[in-house]
Amino acid sequence: MRLANLKPGQKGVVTKILGHGAFRKRVMEMGFVRGREVAMILNAPLQDPIKYKLMDYEVSLRRAEAELIEIETLENWQKQAEQIREYNTGIHDPALEENFRKDKIINIALIGNPNCGKTSLFNIVSGAHEHVGNYAGVTVGAKAGTLKYKGYKFNVVDLPGTYSLSAYSPEELYVMRYLHQETPDVIVNVVVASNLERNLYLTTELIDMNRSMVIDLNMYDELEKSNAKLDYQQLGKMLGVPVVPTKASTGWNVNKLLDTIIDVYEMRNKDVRHIHVKMRKNIEEGVSAIKDLIKNDATISQHFSPRYLAIKLLEGDPEADAILREAATYKNIKEAREKAVVNIEKELSEDVNSAIAADKYGFIQGALAETMEGNVLHEQKTTKLIDAIVTSKIFGFPIFLLVMLLMFWATFQIGSYPMEWIESLVSWISNIIGEYMPDGPFKDLIIDGIIGGVGGVIVFLPNILILYFFISLMEDTGYMARVAFIMDKLMHKMGLHGKSFIPLVMGFGCNVPAIMSTRIIESKSSRLITILINPFISCSARIPIYVLLVGCFFPKHGGLVFFGLYLLGIIIAVLTAKLMRRFWLKTDETPFVMELPPYRIPTGKAIMRGMWSKAQQYLNKMGGIILVASIIIWALSYFPQRSFDEVPQEYFTSVVSDIPADEMSNLSEDHLQELVTNQYQQENSILGHVGKFVEPVVRPMEYGWKTTVALLAGAAAKEVVVSTIGVLYVGEDDADLISERLTTPSTLTGRAPFDSAKALSFMVFVLLYFPCIATLTAIARETENWKYALFSALYNTSLAWVLAFITYRIALLF
């Protein structure tokens, strides 16, 4: 709780000071330090300020200042202290290990450039299993984890990778606001040891913020392999920030990093001191003038470093301007800023931003000149050799297309073997339950609803894992960044940014994280277009539908059909982007700037972590939205119940004519009656009526009401389409019968529920029609406007209908 929440006469113990700069220093000097008891005396007549008693003297604080001091009530503090004493003496309940005093909790923020290894460090420290990719933008939001170490509890947050603390991209803005609002106890600035000059620019901005910090010199093995030597201890003393070398991929020296974090938190590290990153005289004069005005407003300066805000305002940062707009002296601050800008640009003959950046890089070069010997080999021979092939004019595109074709072939062909094993297991479980469980609605729910729905989807888990294996491999090796590089010109012709290609490729896995990853695109217009065309990229959720229909109708050309569907999605995405750029979002305001990291050999552990993470997401989805959707679909198709006596004779004849002859010979009379009753009940159920109501819309493609219902069910998740087909087309819940039932012609009509033309048309419709609820939610969240989600649903479905109709009519000709 906060000090401001204490009631008159109530006592508490100080656990943390959340304020900043002069305020933090002042209140600590007055005795507000961790472990100090403080009592609330009374409020002023207007309820502000508040009088407290501390160390036998009285002190008053404004309520806003008291809000920046964390406390624990005296009673809770004493109870926790007793538990700690019991724990330390060994006389304790094991459950007490979960309890830590508030002053033993350290909140840590991991900050660094994209591709610096933050997430690898986060995984090692917190035990989390976040995927690590070798390109910018893998971490698109903050991830939180915890660790208990030497009596402390570490709350670790992995923030998005950012090159600076400026409000020009969603990542930078997110990190800025997090540091302003959350006030972590210690910042761990992760830098790449072999690329210090570039990475330390962000460090200089963190130094300007004047926060408790430790520098993690990550990937130290790459520096050791080069011809350079770094005196990192001396570098830490020069920067006023302790530096610890680590190898986050293996965990080497991470314990030393944790020990240093504790020392910094406890204020006993000798390297810690506040320095100023000195700039040229004209710039320093401008910064000082603005800083002095900011310091006069306590409502601002106690939350933020005045020097940091002054520099950011001088650079014209919109977030800094928004913060300072609340200050009473804002007009004077703006005047000082304008005066400083005019003076700097006149004296230095360059704009303010480039002058500040040049001075900061000059400071970094000076620090490295004193602490580093030799040069780091930036261009590794292996990277140079591979790039000469995979990014060349001759081989670049063929290699990329070959990789894509291999990915789709492996997903379909190799994945078919474990898919059959899982299918047999699901069928076995269904048979066991059917044999031993008493008849009734609950049995039908278990077999037809849950096992029939979820079991019909889980069989495709191997296909999805193989797809994510290829995507993870491209990310981890660094090839994904090269894909964006070779595709930039083509993307630019589409009216998109080169970085747009990365979210589009990620869309092959799942459109939701792909849409979230568009945050790496600085251009707002390119980002919006990329978000809206991403659902056209065929995600892994559609794989079960393709596998089912391709296996039935195109078994000899499965890889080619798969590739054609994915290619069609890409073509539609390209054309849509072109139309949007030409008639709607006409300008692209940002250039293509992207880091090309060195190639790295991914570890098997990292690949497995990435695959397992996606498997968990898929299994959670099956245990969540797919399970719920399957139960709802089952219930809608199960009620109202019908008996065999209600079945008209002509309907009985029609159903019997649809049953294959070899299957019919194995059916007893009771079994046949049950099958006919199920079919009649489904057609006259709630779901059947809904399907028949919507059926006229898709009648030009000759989809039946059952097919229509399956399409509608895909709104929950595309995997549900398969489970719905299984529930509706197979009277008995036997997955082995689905393919046969879809392909066997009716003896009455002479037509099967599906044929090759209808199957191809249906797959095109599924490829393009409205995104699932999760994707629509992601579109609305990332664009901050539901109208874009509505546009996506309407536009995509209209386009799907037109192209599915054309596909069907053309396919009938062949």
Side-chain angles (χ1 to χ4, degrees):
M1 63 186 293
R2 301 298 169 88
L3 183 59
N5 300 130
L6 278 182
K7 306 298 182 185
Q10 195 175 8
K11 294 181 179 180
V13 178
V14 177
T15 58
K16 281 182 186 172
I17 309 297
L18 301 180
H20 182 81
F23 165 77
R24 178 185 176 89
K25 187 173 185 297
R26 181 62 174 159
V27 295
M28 291 176 69
E29 288 172 349
M30 294 179 69
F32 287 92
V33 293
R34 289 197 303 272
R36 180 66 63 185
E37 186 178 317
V38 58
M40 196 275 202
I41 306 299
L42 55 83
N43 290 305
L46 297 178
Q47 301 301 306
D48 201 10
I50 309 171
K51 185 196 292 186
Y52 297 98
K53 186 175 182 180
L54 179 73
M55 295 191 301
D56 294 325
Y57 80 96
E58 294 182 348
V59 60
S60 68
L61 293 176
R62 289 197 182 102
R63 188 170 294 275
E65 294 166 343
E67 282 287 345
L68 297 174
I69 300 176
E70 271 193 6
I71 64 162
E72 186 61 66
T73 62
L74 184 60
E75 295 81 3
N76 287 345
W77 177 270
Q78 290 172 341
K79 182 179 178 181
Q80 291 169 1
E82 181 61 30
Q83 290 174 342
I84 293 296
R85 281 195 295 273
E86 290 178 1
Y87 176 67
N88 289 336
T89 57
I91 308 170
H92 66 283
D93 185 322
L96 297 179
E97 188 177 347
E98 298 297 321
N99 296 314
F100 283 80
R101 292 207 315 265
K102 297 295 182 182
D103 66 326
K104 294 294 182 181
I105 298 176
I106 307 178
N107 299 316
I108 300 168
L110 301 182
I111 299 177
N113 288 182
N115 197 42
C116 69
K118 282 186 304 81
T119 305
S120 294
L121 178 63
F122 176 75
N123 288 339
I124 288 288
V125 170
S126 67
H129 302 289
E130 295 298 337
H131 179 54
V132 181
N134 189 20
Y135 74 94
V138 172
T139 307
V140 294
K143 300 177 178 70
T146 59
L147 168 72
K148 292 175 183 175
Y149 180 77
K150 292 188 176 180
Y152 290 84
K153 181 178 179 180
F154 291 71
N155 293 325
V156 188
V157 175
D158 177 21
L159 293 171
T162 176
Y163 291 106
S164 68
L165 296 177
S166 301
Y168 297 113
S169 74
E171 285 86 6
E172 292 171 342
L173 188 58
Y174 185 96
V175 172
M176 279 184 70
R177 288 180 176 172
Y178 180 89
L179 293 178
H180 292 165
Q181 296 167 7
E182 300 299 328
T183 318
D185 298 314
V186 179
I187 292 172
V188 176
N189 178 207
V190 184
V191 301
V192 179
S194 60
N195 197 358
L196 282 176
E197 189 171 348
R198 204 277 319 282
N199 279 242
L200 287 177
Y201 185 85
L202 176 61
T203 307
T204 62
E205 296 201 310
L206 292 170
I207 289 172
D208 290 335
M209 294 190 82
N210 191 19
R211 296 287 181 85
S212 296
M213 184 165 61
V214 177
I215 294 176
D216 173 20
L217 198 63
N218 196 23
M219 303 181 193
Y220 192 65
D221 49 331
E222 294 185 4
L223 180 67
E224 291 178 320
K225 292 175 184 177
S226 71
N227 62 348
K229 291 183 179 180
L230 175 69
D231 187 348
Y232 59 83
Q233 292 179 331
Q234 180 61 26
L235 179 62
K237 291 176 181 176
M238 293 180 64
L239 297 176
V241 181
V243 179
V244 182
T246 65
K247 302 173 189 175
S249 59
T250 63
W252 176 81
N253 218 32
V254 169
N255 283 352
K256 174 64 175 175
L257 176 65
L258 298 177
D259 291 336
T260 307
I261 291 171
I262 293 172
D263 287 344
V264 169
Y265 177 72
E266 297 290 359
M267 296 181 289
R268 58 181 181 231
N269 188 285
K270 296 179 181 179
D271 290 342
V272 176
R273 64 189 180 94
H274 179 52
I275 69 164
H276 284 172
V277 178
K278 290 292 185 181
M279 294 174 282
R280 279 169 282 184
K281 182 181 177 182
N282 308 79
I283 301 175
E284 285 293 343
E285 287 175 352
V287 170
S288 296
I290 300 170
K291 180 185 71 174
D292 291 342
L293 290 170
I294 295 173
K295 286 175 70 175
N296 291 334
D297 193 325
T299 60
I300 301 294
S301 62
Q302 69 187 19
H303 291 274
F304 309 107
S305 162
R307 178 176 175 85
Y308 167 76
L309 284 180
I311 294 173
K312 283 298 168 187
L313 188 66
L314 204 56
E315 292 176 331
D317 187 274
E319 184 71 5
D321 186 77
I323 292 169
L324 292 170
R325 198 173 290 124
E326 303 299 322
T329 56
Y330 177 68
K331 183 178 180 181
N332 295 335
I333 292 171
K334 284 289 286 184
E335 288 175 356
R337 189 258 175 192
E338 299 303 327
K339 182 179 178 181
V341 168
V342 171
N343 180 57
I344 291 169
E345 293 184 347
K346 179 181 178 181
E347 295 294 329
L348 301 181
S349 299
E350 60 179 325
D351 68 271
V352 174
N353 283 0
S354 62
I356 291 176
D359 284 5
K360 288 197 170 187
Y361 275 114
F363 171 85
I364 294 167
Q365 290 171 348
L368 293 179
E370 294 187 34
T371 56
M372 180 178 283
E373 295 179 5
N375 296 314
V376 178
L377 298 176
H378 288 290
E379 290 190 344
Q380 300 176 2
K381 290 182 180 179
T382 306
T383 294
K384 194 172 182 179
L385 179 62
I386 296 174
D387 271 349
I389 300 172
V390 301
T391 62
S392 69
K393 293 181 180 179
I394 299 174
F395 301 109
F397 283 103
I399 289 174
F400 169 65
L401 292 175
L402 186 63
V403 169
M404 292 291 104
L405 188 59
L406 176 64
M407 179 172 72
F408 301 136
W409 174 85
T411 299
F412 178 71
Q413 297 292 344
I414 299 177
S416 63
Y417 298 105
M419 186 183 75
E420 291 174 1
W421 305 334
I422 297 175
E423 193 174 48
S424 300
L425 177 62
V426 170
S427 179
W428 178 79
I429 293 172
S430 180
N431 291 335
I432 291 294
I433 294 175
E435 184 176 349
Y436 291 101
M437 197 171 181
D439 291 339
F442 186 68
K443 176 182 177 179
D444 295 337
L445 169 63
I446 296 296
I447 295 178
D448 298 332
I450 297 176
I451 297 178
V454 176
V457 175
I458 197 173
V459 297
F460 302 104
L461 180 61
N463 306 86
I464 289 164
L465 287 178
I466 291 171
L467 179 67
Y468 273 112
F469 169 80
F470 277 90
I471 291 177
S472 297
L473 198 62
M474 288 192 289
E475 290 175 352
D476 294 355
T477 56
Y479 179 63
M480 190 73 87
R482 271 66 186 185
V483 169
F485 172 74
I486 65 175
M487 295 296 294
D488 177 60
K489 187 171 183 178
L490 182 60
M491 300 301 287
H492 189 66
K493 287 183 179 296
M494 291 168 51
L496 290 176
H497 198 278
K499 288 184 181 180
S500 296
F501 195 74
I502 291 174
L504 295 179
V505 172
M506 289 183 68
F508 290 129
C510 179
N511 295 138
V512 175
I515 288 170
M516 292 174 65
S517 72
T518 58
R519 298 175 191 174
I520 66 174
I521 305 169
E522 294 87 353
S523 166
K524 290 181 181 179
S525 59
S526 290
R527 183 168 180 257
L528 180 57
I529 293 175
T530 307
I531 288 172
L532 293 177
I533 67 173
N534 205 285
F536 291 125
I537 303 301
S538 188
C539 67
S540 60
R542 296 173 172 93
I543 289 178
I545 306 164
Y546 301 158
V547 171
L548 174 66
L549 296 179
V550 167
C552 288
F553 299 99
F554 310 100
K556 295 182 180 179
H557 307 287
L560 190 61
V561 173
F562 257 62
F563 185 74
L565 286 167
Y566 280 84
L567 185 61
L568 175 62
I570 293 169
I571 291 171
I572 296 300
V574 169
L575 294 175
T576 300
K578 288 281 288 182
L579 289 172
M580 287 182 175
R581 181 61 77 189
R582 180 161 186 180
F583 297 108
W584 184 17
L585 302 163
K586 298 184 179 181
T587 56
D588 185 11
E589 61 273 13
T590 355
F592 176 72
V593 181
M594 182 177 183
E595 178 186 2
L596 293 176
Y599 288 100
R600 295 190 173 100
I601 299 175
T603 63
K605 188 176 181 180
I607 293 290
M608 294 307 296
R609 268 183 173 175
M611 291 176 63
W612 174 241
S613 173
K614 300 307 177 185
Q616 280 184 311
Q617 291 177 19
Y618 189 68
L619 293 171
N620 289 338
K621 200 175 183 182
M622 285 191 296
I625 192 169
I626 295 176
L627 175 62
V628 172
S630 296
I631 292 173
I632 291 173
I633 290 165
W634 170 84
L636 293 175
S637 65
Y638 191 79
F639 297 105
Q641 278 287 287
R642 305 283 183 177
S643 66
F644 180 72
D645 294 337
E646 299 176 68
V647 179
Q649 181 60 42
E650 59 272 18
Y651 187 87
F652 179 86
T653 304
S654 173
V655 173
V656 170
S657 67
D658 288 337
I659 300 174
D662 56 343
E663 185 183 337
M664 185 70 182
S665 62
N666 295 324
L667 293 175
S668 65
E669 184 176 346
D670 289 342
H671 208 167
L672 179 61
Q673 289 183 1
E674 180 185 354
L675 186 62
V676 172
T677 304
N678 287 341
Q679 293 279 1
Y680 182 72
Q681 189 271 323
Q682 287 173 1
E683 186 167 346
N684 291 277
S685 65
I686 299 171
L687 197 63
H689 289 299
V690 172
K692 288 179 179 178
F693 178 77
V694 180
E695 183 186 3
V697 177
V698 292
R699 191 170 291 158
M701 284 82 78
E702 299 189 39
Y703 298 160
W705 67 270
K706 297 179 183 179
T707 307
T708 307
V709 169
L711 287 172
L712 294 174
K718 292 298 179 282
E719 301 98 324
V720 179
V721 173
V722 171
S723 61
T724 306
I725 288 174
V727 170
L728 296 180
Y729 275 102
V730 182
E732 293 177 318
D733 185 34
D734 188 345
D736 293 332
L737 294 177
I738 297 177
S739 297
E740 184 179 0
R741 193 62 57 82
L742 293 180
T743 55
T744 303
S746 166
T747 56
L748 187 65
T749 63
R751 302 184 65 181
F754 274 82
D755 54 32
S756 56
K758 195 179 295 183
L760 198 60
S761 168
F762 185 77
M763 286 188 287
V764 169
F765 198 98
V766 168
L767 167 71
L768 301 174
Y769 83 132
F770 55 78
C772 66
I773 292 172
T775 302
L776 290 173
T777 303
I779 292 173
R781 185 172 60 238
E782 293 302 314
T783 60
E784 299 181 347
N785 197 324
W786 272 98
K787 72 178 183 181
Y788 293 114
L790 181 62
F791 168 81
S792 181
L794 296 176
Y795 173 76
N796 292 21
T797 306
S798 302
L799 198 60
W801 192 97
V802 172
L803 290 179
F805 176 77
I806 293 172
T807 301
Y808 183 61
R809 292 302 165 186
I810 292 175
L812 286 176
L813 299 177
F814 298 95

